[in-house]
Amino acid sequence: NVISGSNAAHNRGVIHRDIKPDNILVADDGRVLLSDLGLAKVISGSNAAGMPVTRMGLLMGTPEYMSPEQWEIGAQVGPAADIWALGATLWMLLTHKPPFDERDLAVLSRRIREEPLPDIRLIRTDVPDIVSDILQRCLCKKPEDRFASCGELAAALQIFLMSRAAVIRVDSPAPPPKPTANYVDDLPL
């Protein structure tokens, strides 16, 4: 999955810097792939050969999915930026719009960097508290307040999925429905 792939990339010293729904592909065999490494940055290790190099002082990413630190010229961007983008992507999948939906880039930048994240349950009342908590943590303003790694994020989501699976097993003998759409609004949360 995308979180595991991001974790593997981070463990090899690579940050994607442009995770968004358009860069998540589903192969015919059901594998989920993260595409478009055009903005990827090598932060450590010997894998730097052949990787694209970006210039200092440029904003990199798709604005609605850029972390607060990506909006700061010269700021250090690490794996926490991808965790932000994963949270923003999950938000989009649940609500059909990014967490900060704004056309004016200056206003969008300010909102991402300064405004508190709205409670997703004001938009989707069926989102469980644990999913809301995961989103809140992914989308913290300060990188150090987000999940420490994609592995930690995956573990938090796994706890939710396991608790949900237990409820489904107890409440219903039928297996849960398989997703058939690009968005998850029709899935039982």
Side-chain angles (χ1 to χ4, degrees):
N1 77 30
V2 174
I3 297 170
S4 297
S6 296
N7 195 50
H10 294 167
N11 289 338
R12 289 174 179 79
V14 178
I15 306 166
H16 191 282
R17 296 195 301 181
D18 198 26
I19 296 174
K20 59 184 177 180
D22 289 348
N23 287 342
I24 299 172
L25 309 174
V26 179
D28 290 338
D29 63 3
R31 288 178 300 131
V32 178
L33 308 168
L34 184 58
S35 68
D36 191 359
L37 293 165
L39 296 181
K41 178 180 180 182
V42 177
I43 55 172
S44 66
S46 60
N47 296 332
M51 287 297 294
V53 176
T54 54
R55 294 194 300 192
M56 290 291 292
L58 296 176
L59 294 177
M60 296 289 170
T62 301
E64 294 82 5
Y65 300 93
M66 286 171 53
S67 64
E69 62 273 19
Q70 284 177 279
W71 287 97
E72 301 291 337
I73 301 294
Q76 291 291 342
V77 175
D82 284 350
I83 291 170
W84 169 281
L86 288 164
T89 296
L90 178 56
W91 184 288
M92 169 63 112
L93 293 173
L94 291 168
T95 67
H96 296 260
K97 60 184 179 178
F100 296 97
D101 194 18
E102 179 63 55
R103 291 189 189 272
D104 182 303
L105 288 182
V107 174
L108 178 63
S109 170
R110 182 191 54 74
R111 290 186 66 204
I112 286 174
R113 288 179 293 111
E114 298 173 9
E115 283 187 15
L117 183 68
D119 186 338
I120 194 168
R121 293 166 296 191
L122 298 175
I123 302 165
R124 287 271 317 260
T125 57
D126 61 329
V127 171
D129 291 346
I130 189 171
V131 174
S132 176
D133 292 345
I134 289 168
L135 286 166
Q136 289 286 334
R137 184 139 177 228
C138 284
L139 296 167
C140 283
K141 303 299 182 197
K142 296 178 183 176
E144 62 271 17
D145 292 339
R146 296 179 207 142
F147 288 98
S149 68
C150 285
E152 190 177 294
L153 168 58
L157 285 169
Q158 189 64 32
I159 290 168
F160 163 69
L161 293 173
M162 295 302 289
S163 68
R164 186 66 188 141
V167 170
I168 291 170
R169 280 194 298 272
V170 170
D171 292 345
S172 170
K178 294 189 179 201
T180 57
N182 290 333
Y183 294 92
V184 293
D185 17 309
D186 296 327
L187 295 179
L189 296 176

